[in-house]
């Protein structure tokens, strides 16, 4: 497969090469022509920071290239809801598929009315500005250059290039998040793998994708797969953005018919680790991605060498335990360690023990009332058939012997689905608000 740097995407493939399949198929010639019209439109937009609110991969890719080729900074906020929450102060203009309701917003389709302009190859120093919620839930700016994204594509193509060969790549992820940008945009376009142009929002929509499929998914999407639906034939399935639970692996293997690969990383660091779920009953260890290695461990975190950050090093906020062969196990974030009395408690460990002993998908939090801190647990029960509010005392009794007394849950809440924020991460503020009432 011919591998292209971002700057060459519109130029160095045959005119009849298939870029996109689906309701609106596109060839390489269409791709270059669409970018040329969008470049003409972007050249007329005032301001340097252009936010892209486009869910469909093909539209997003065309707009991203046109934006950067005109010397603008592409701002990726994830959703318009994010922009509304921040009073839209993070960008000068925006492009959206929705009907504009702000003078700075442009309708994507209207941009094609602009005369086409000769496309300028994008500089490797062009900037993409992503916003992530980090550990605080507040928007945090992360700058990525085209050179950084090309470097990450070199890593991901080494890992997955052969698996993607001959497939159509489809995803349910947002291209304005780094996970989607890396795997639903940069990886297939670097390799020349055809895209399914629409972002998929349901399991049924995967049945419309030409087989064999490569699927870029999330743990939440896989967890809610319906075993009753017809399966699809996939060669490659990827998940990231959160821990992949055993039942999600089982459902995913049944629906897609292939092993599930999982990525560990962050917006700041890029890809860090990878593992492959070959057998449903065995949880595999993590391995560093190509070019990533351990540098040191200290009280503040695990320091890695990586070609994907400007400094070449990065300190991970997660706790890693290494085996002799260099593989590792993740034990959650360091900021998920709390202290109650004299006891240091890992909230991730509480979650794992609740799952193992009670069978619940749960997230625990430190709840402070007055001068006392206790453990609160939110249980996800989509059908309302697992958690019984009258049996909380029995649940706690079952956990005794596996958790120290201060780590035993004091407060319980149940939801159909865990709340997530605009970045697709657990909304801790929303979770904490569930415990505002003073009852148990």
């Amino acid at each position: 497969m011919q591998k292209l740097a971002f700057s060459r995407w519109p130029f160095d493939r045959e005119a009849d090469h298939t870029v996109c399949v689906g309701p609106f198929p596109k060839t390489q010639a269409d791709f270059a022509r669409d970018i040329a019209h969008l470049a003409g439109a972007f050249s007329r937009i005032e301001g340097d920071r252009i936010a892209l609110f486009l869910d469909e991969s093909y539209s997003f890719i065309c707009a991203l290239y046109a934006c950067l080729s005109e010397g603008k900074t592409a701002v990726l906020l994830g959703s318009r809801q994010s922009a509304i929450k921040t009073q839209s102060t993070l960008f000068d203009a925006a492009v959206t598929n929705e009907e504009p309701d702000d003078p700075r917003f442009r309708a994507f389709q209207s941009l094609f009315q602009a005369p086409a302009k000769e496309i300028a190859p994008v500089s490797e120093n062009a900037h993409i500005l992503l916003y992530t919620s980090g550990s605080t839930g507040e928007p945090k700016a992360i700058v990525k250059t085209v050179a950084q994204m090309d470097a990450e594509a070199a890593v991901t193509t080494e890992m997955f290039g052969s698996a993607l060969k001959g497939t159509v790549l489809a995803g349910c992820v947002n291209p304005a998040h780094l996970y989607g940008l890396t795997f639903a945009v940069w990886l297939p376009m670097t390799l020349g793998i055809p895209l399914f142009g629409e972002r998929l929002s349901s399991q049924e929509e995967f049945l419309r994708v030409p087989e064999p499929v490569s699927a870029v998914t999330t743990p939440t999407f896989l967890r809610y797969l319906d075993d009753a639906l017809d399966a699809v034939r996939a060669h490659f399935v990827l998940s990231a953005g959160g821990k992949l639970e055993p039942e999600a692996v089982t459902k995913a293997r049944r629906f897609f018919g292939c092993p599930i690969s999982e990525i560990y990383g962050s917006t700041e660091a890029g890809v860090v680790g990878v593992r492959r779920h070959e057998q449903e009953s065995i949880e595999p260890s993590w391995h560093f991605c190509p070019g990533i290695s351990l540098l040191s461990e200290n009280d503040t975190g695990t320091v890695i060498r990586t070609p994907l950050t400007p400094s070449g090093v990065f300190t991970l906020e997660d706790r890693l335990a290494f085996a002799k062969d260099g593989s590792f196990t993740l034990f959650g974030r360091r900021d998920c360690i709390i202290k109650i009395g004299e006891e240091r408690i890992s909230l991730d460990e509480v979650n794992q023990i609740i799952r193992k002993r009670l069978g619940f998908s749960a997230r625990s939090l430190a709840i402070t009332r007055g001068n006392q801190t206790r453990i609160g647990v939110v249980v996800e029960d989509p059908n309302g058939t697992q958690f019984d509010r009258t049996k909380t005392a029995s649940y706690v009794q079952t956990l005794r012997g596996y958790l120290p007394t201060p780590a035993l849950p004091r407060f319980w809440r149940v939801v159909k689905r865990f709340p997530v924020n605009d970045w697709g991460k657990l909304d801790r503020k929303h979770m904490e608000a569930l415990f505002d009432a003073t009852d148990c």
Side-chain angles (χ1 to χ4, degrees):
M1 288 182 288
Q2 181 188 22
K3 300 177 184 178
L4 296 182
F6 179 81
S7 65
R8 306 308 305 171
W9 287 1
F11 306 109
D12 291 354
R13 290 195 169 100
E14 297 295 330
D16 61 353
H17 168 77
T18 300
V19 174
C20 175
V21 300
F24 305 101
K26 298 285 186 175
T27 64
Q28 182 73 12
D30 298 325
F31 181 51
R33 182 170 54 252
D34 288 345
I35 293 175
H37 280 283
L38 291 172
F42 275 101
S43 68
R44 301 180 177 191
I45 296 177
E46 295 184 2
D48 294 326
R49 303 172 303 162
I50 313 299
L52 304 181
F53 298 108
L54 301 167
D55 273 354
E56 297 178 353
S57 295
Y58 178 79
S59 300
F60 177 89
I61 293 166
C62 292
L64 176 66
Y65 199 98
C67 175
L68 297 181
S69 72
E70 289 303 308
K72 311 284 188 180
T73 295
V75 178
L76 307 185
L77 284 165
S79 71
R80 290 197 62 186
Q81 187 177 359
S82 303
I84 292 168
K85 287 182 178 179
T86 56
Q87 288 83 50
S88 305
T89 60
L90 305 178
F91 57 88
D92 303 312
V95 177
T96 176
N97 273 327
E98 302 173 11
E99 192 66 30
D101 52 7
D102 182 301
R104 290 178 301 166
F105 282 78
R106 271 76 169 175
F108 177 71
Q109 290 301 325
S110 71
L111 300 182
F112 288 93
Q113 298 172 10
K117 181 180 180 182
E118 183 176 355
I119 308 170
V122 173
S123 166
E124 66 175 13
N125 296 317
H127 284 69
I128 301 170
L129 190 59
L130 296 108
Y131 281 85
T132 175
S133 61
S135 59
T136 65
E138 297 301 321
K140 176 184 177 183
I142 305 294
V143 176
K144 295 283 183 178
T145 64
V146 166
Q148 281 179 276
M149 295 304 301
D150 279 342
E152 190 154 9
V155 174
T156 58
T157 56
E158 181 177 344
M159 290 190 292
F160 304 128
S162 59
L164 268 63
K165 187 175 181 180
T167 68
V168 171
L169 189 139
C172 60
V173 296
N174 190 334
H177 297 160
L178 185 65
Y179 175 41
L181 186 66
T182 299
F183 289 101
V185 173
W186 234 273
L187 175 61
M189 290 299 294
T190 296
L191 293 171
I193 300 297
L195 303 163
F196 191 75
E198 298 179 2
R199 178 185 176 186
L200 306 183
S201 59
S202 70
Q203 178 180 354
E204 291 86 347
E205 291 178 337
F206 269 101
L207 301 174
R208 298 193 286 110
V209 182
E211 296 180 339
V213 176
S214 286
V216 181
T217 69
T218 66
T220 299
F221 183 88
L222 298 180
R223 188 188 310 141
Y224 292 105
L225 290 175
D226 185 349
D227 292 338
L229 293 181
D230 291 339
V232 302
R233 184 168 63 92
H235 280 185
F236 174 75
V237 178
L238 186 68
S239 176
K243 179 177 172 56
L244 193 57
E245 303 292 355
E247 63 266 32
V249 173
T250 299
K251 289 185 175 183
R253 286 180 61 88
R254 289 174 182 170
F255 182 67
F256 290 108
C258 68
I260 313 302
S261 296
E262 191 175 5
I263 282 289
Y264 161 57
S266 70
T267 304
E268 296 91 332
V271 295
V272 174
V274 61
R275 63 179 181 175
R276 182 178 166 93
H277 295 265
E278 299 276 4
Q279 300 180 41
E280 297 175 12
S281 59
I282 300 176
E283 183 169 358
S285 297
W286 291 94
H287 297 268
F288 282 125
C289 297
I292 317 294
S293 61
L294 175 66
L295 182 60
S296 65
E297 291 186 277
N298 54 49
D299 292 339
T300 61
T302 301
V303 184
I304 58 171
R305 290 189 181 93
T306 173
L308 306 181
T309 64
S311 66
V313 297
F314 188 80
T315 301
L316 301 171
E317 296 178 340
D318 298 293
R319 296 176 296 128
L320 280 61
F322 289 90
K324 291 182 180 180
D325 64 357
S327 63
F328 61 90
T329 301
L330 285 171
F331 285 103
R333 295 176 60 91
R334 292 176 183 270
D335 59 8
C336 286
I337 301 292
I338 64 170
K339 195 169 184 180
I340 299 180
E342 304 301 318
E343 194 78 41
R344 288 172 59 85
I345 297 167
S346 165
L347 297 178
D348 290 308
E349 184 178 356
V350 174
N351 297 337
Q352 292 168 14
I353 290 175
I354 289 174
R355 169 171 291 280
K356 185 173 182 179
R357 300 300 167 185
L358 301 178
F360 299 149
S361 178
R363 297 294 182 270
S364 55
L365 304 89
I367 304 299
T368 300
R369 291 183 178 169
N371 60 358
Q372 288 191 332
T373 298
R374 300 287 182 86
I375 299 297
V377 173
V378 180
V379 175
E380 187 181 55
D381 188 0
N383 301 316
T385 57
Q386 291 180 293
F387 184 81
D388 187 339
R389 296 177 185 273
T390 68
K391 295 183 178 180
T392 55
S394 174
Y395 297 152
V396 172
Q397 188 62 35
T398 300
L399 298 174
R400 290 188 187 277
Y402 300 103
L403 291 171
T405 298
L408 292 171
R410 173 64 178 83
F411 309 109
W412 299 82
R413 297 292 184 270
V414 62
V415 294
K416 288 187 175 181
R417 291 197 179 189
F418 292 127
V420 295
N421 59 26
D422 295 328
W423 290 268
K425 297 182 179 180
L426 282 176
D427 190 333
R428 295 191 66 84
K429 290 184 177 179
H430 190 156
M431 300 260 278
E432 290 167 357
L434 297 174
F435 296 90
D436 285 348
T438 57
D439 63 339
C440 63

